[in-house]
Amino acid sequence: MLVTGATGYIGGRLVPRLLEAGHRVKVLVRSPEKIAGVPWFDDVEVVRSSLDDAAALEEALKGVEVLYYLVHSMAAGSGFEAKEKSMAELVANAAAAAGVQRIVYLGGLHPRNTRLSTHMRSREAVGEVFLSGPVDAIVFQAGVVIGSGSASFEMIRHLSETLPVMPAPSWVRNRIEAIAVRDVLHYLVGAAALTEPLNRSFDVGSRDVLSYAGMMKEYAAEAGLPLRLVLALPIPAPRLAGLWVALVTPIPLSMSVPLVQSLQHDAVSAEHDIDAYIPVPDGGLTGYRTAVALALGKERDAQVETTWANAGADADPLPSDPEWAGHKVYVDERTFSSDVDPGHVWTVIEGIGGRNGWYSLPLAWSVRGWLDKLSGGAGLLRGRRHPHRLVAGEVVDWWRVERIDRGRLLRLRAEMRAPGRAWLELSVEPDGTGSRYRQRAIFFPKGLSGRLYWLGVLPFHSLIFPAMSRNITAAARKIAAAELSGQEPGTESAAKEPDAKETQATP
């Protein structure tokens, strides 16, 4: 079988479960480098291609019985719906030409005979393309997906934790049937084992129906927070609500608006026909409160497999030569030599960001993060998937891991709003009996505004970056001392730097 969207939130979790079920799996990705660090990489056949290349797609589908179509863009703009529909038609025809027996698609749960938002309408149209196409299709229609790292879960979590009293649009009263990500995966894996011809859609959910306000209150109760008061106002205002969600959660505006728009109507299963084909999981479907508890537990135990933030973005390559092709480049470089073992310095480097902080002037980082959020950027709220380990393609606050040579080099590409492209490189190498830490901030300005931007941030760099290099080394020394004293290395108590003005919690 072939999985598209393997770099996404659902696809990245589906692949290992298909392998566990004994299936041979291909994945089709534009950039195989993005999944090079996942545990199942060597167990699948990786095809480098895109869904708009009909010939390459047909070749990739040869010998495939089941095609999983787990692709849906959060982009918008003119022609968005037509492009999504056209791509689905191309995939359906390529699947027929290659002899594929079934297409499995994950769409959205929505009411019938109702005017839908652009994104929900597009997802419905893609499902209709497959159902009316030449290959049998199973179209699952799921509502809010609750799991560690899912966009819907992060939205509920941050709204609940940030706002003890929340004035909200009237749609918070709408009835929502969420579904745990483990149950979504149960149905997706189960679809591969069905032998009879089948061409239809299925509503899937937890059978646990709450209002959106109720979901936030239940989250607060499970997380041990005081009771949240949600005030439903008689104003739909999806665009304004999307902006508010973007400001107080890690979800960017480009995603928060379609997420909010999908909540404008009740989203409850109209039928449970799937039970006749795929039995419910052992122990039954996962209720909403249990799904929240499982997600919080995964985050607490650093076992988050995939996150919404790590899905679907390709990195622009950074030339190894800063003066590449005559491009104007600004570089701020710092080095710091110490008697600390390089391995301990690397522990701090790989654990940077998220709750572990950036080791210099937390207020300055926070202000820059909020400015980025206000301008529609990522901000600092995205955090990181695992507190101590990184792989290429993952998110770290407003950065994305472009390259990691474990034990030596971490290169982060900025996804904040700026008039140019920016990277941050952190590296360590042995230096006699100690280590030499190196830090480079690299900026490719765009036009005059980019040059002025660099001049404007230079004073802040002169404060932030020297302190950052000192404090990273100091945190590494704390870890080394903790190991000598028998304390578990890498803990927050072992790595805290005493100067609270310059540091944050360390790994």
Side-chain angles (χ1 to χ4, degrees):
M1 51 197 59
L2 186 141
V3 177
T4 65
T7 58
Y9 178 75
I10 296 292
R13 298 186 180 212
L14 175 63
V15 170
R17 284 158 179 80
L18 290 172
L19 291 169
E20 289 170 8
H23 299 292
R24 293 178 57 192
V25 180
K26 291 183 182 180
V27 297
L28 187 144
V29 292
R30 285 179 297 177
S31 302
E33 301 81 16
K34 289 184 59 181
I35 58 171
V38 299
W40 43 263
F41 183 81
D42 293 331
D43 299 323
V44 301
E45 180 182 344
V46 180
V47 180
R48 182 193 292 268
S49 185
S50 63
L51 291 174
D52 54 7
D53 186 337
L57 180 59
E58 186 176 331
E59 181 65 26
L61 286 169
K62 287 183 177 179
V64 170
E65 295 181 354
V66 180
L67 165 63
Y68 284 92
Y69 191 84
L70 302 175
V71 176
H72 177 67
S73 173
M74 279 292 183
S78 177
F80 163 74
E81 291 180 82
K83 182 178 179 180
E84 292 267 291
K85 184 177 180 181
S86 175
M87 185 174 292
E89 290 171 343
L90 185 151
V91 169
N93 291 329
V100 173
Q101 297 177 14
R102 172 173 293 145
I103 296 173
V104 181
Y105 172 62
L106 181 61
L109 187 61
H110 59 274
R112 274 64 170 176
N113 303 317
T114 302
R115 180 174 177 80
L116 301 174
S117 69
T118 301
H119 286 267
M120 290 302 294
R121 192 167 62 239
S122 176
R123 296 180 78 174
E124 181 185 41
V126 168
E128 287 299 324
V129 166
F130 291 136
L131 291 172
S132 61
V135 177
D136 281 353
I138 293 178
V139 174
F140 291 118
Q141 298 179 151
V144 172
V145 176
I146 301 299
S148 57
S150 79
S152 296
F153 176 71
E154 290 299 320
M155 181 170 153
I156 292 168
R157 179 169 72 140
H158 280 81
L159 287 174
S160 303
E161 293 184 351
T162 307
L163 305 169
V165 179
M166 179 182 173
S170 55
W171 50 258
V172 295
R173 295 196 186 105
N174 290 343
R175 298 167 68 243
I176 306 293
E177 183 179 354
I179 184 169
V181 65
R182 59 172 51 196
D183 292 342
V184 173
L185 296 168
H186 169 77
Y187 287 123
L188 289 171
V189 173
L194 296 176
T195 56
E196 66 269 35
L198 191 60
N199 186 67
R200 61 160 294 178
S201 65
F202 292 99
D203 291 354
V204 292
S206 63
R207 323 285 166 90
D208 191 0
V209 180
L210 297 166
S211 68
Y212 199 81
M215 292 168 70
M216 288 190 286
K217 292 175 181 178
E218 288 288 299
Y219 172 88
E222 185 60 42
L225 302 172
L227 178 66
R228 268 27 191 171
L229 180 61
V230 183
L231 305 175
L233 305 177
I235 306 172
R239 182 77 186 178
L240 182 60
L243 176 61
W244 177 244
V245 167
L247 289 176
V248 299
T249 77
I251 312 300
L253 185 63
S254 61
M255 186 180 289
S256 66
V257 170
L259 281 176
V260 167
Q261 287 175 338
S262 69
L263 301 172
Q264 299 304 301
H265 307 286
D266 290 346
V268 180
S269 296
E271 43 83 11
H272 302 140
D273 297 351
I274 189 62
D275 292 349
Y277 300 91
I278 302 175
V280 299
D282 294 340
L285 292 163
T286 309
Y288 172 75
R289 182 80 173 260
T290 302
V292 168
L294 289 168
L296 290 172
K298 290 287 187 181
E299 292 192 347
R300 182 180 58 250
D301 298 337
Q303 294 181 354
V304 181
E305 294 178 66
T306 59
T307 72
W308 67 269
N310 289 337
D314 292 315
D316 296 321
L318 173 66
S320 58
D321 178 4
E323 301 299 334
W324 171 73
H327 206 299
K328 179 62 178 176
V329 177
Y330 294 113
V331 179
D332 184 308
E333 184 169 341
R334 315 278 171 167
T335 60
F336 197 88
S337 295
S338 70
D339 58 355
V340 182
D341 183 87
H344 292 133
V345 178
W346 176 255
T347 296
V348 181
I349 290 174
E350 191 173 1
I352 202 163
R355 295 180 181 178
N356 299 327
W358 293 90
Y359 302 93
S360 62
L361 296 177
L363 179 61
W365 285 90
S366 181
V367 169
R368 183 63 181 89
W370 279 109
L371 290 174
D372 192 51
K373 275 297 244 180
L374 289 170
S375 65
L380 286 174
L381 295 178
R382 295 190 301 184
R384 46 182 290 157
R385 181 187 62 86
H386 191 285
H388 310 305
R389 297 280 290 181
L390 292 172
V391 297
E394 285 195 322
V395 156
V396 182
D397 294 332
W398 66 46
W399 307 92
R400 190 173 295 271
V401 179
E402 184 169 275
R403 178 180 170 185
I404 180 168
D405 298 337
R406 188 155 280 108
R408 191 183 72 84
L409 170 72
L410 174 65
R411 178 185 297 154
L412 303 172
R413 175 173 55 89
E415 293 186 342
M416 59 186 173
R417 294 295 180 93
R421 295 188 292 157
W423 293 263
L424 179 63
E425 278 189 351
L426 310 177
S427 63
V428 63
E429 60 186 19
D431 185 14
T433 58
S435 60
R436 182 170 180 265
Y437 168 79
R438 184 185 187 210
Q439 176 180 297
R440 288 202 307 165
I442 305 163
F443 185 66
F444 287 8
K446 183 178 180 180
L448 177 61
S449 61
R451 288 161 169 76
L452 293 175
Y453 171 83
W454 180 260
L455 291 175
V457 299
L458 274 180
F460 299 98
H461 285 183
S462 65
L463 295 173
I464 291 172
F465 287 145
M468 188 172 170
S469 59
R470 291 195 306 271
N471 292 332
I472 283 176
T473 305
R477 185 174 285 111
K478 288 279 185 179
I479 293 174
E483 285 190 353
L484 289 174
S485 65
Q487 184 177 348
E488 182 181 353
T491 62
E492 186 171 303
S493 60
K496 274 188 178 177
E497 166 64 27
D499 185 356
K501 291 183 181 180
E502 290 191 341
T503 67
Q504 297 174 306
T506 58

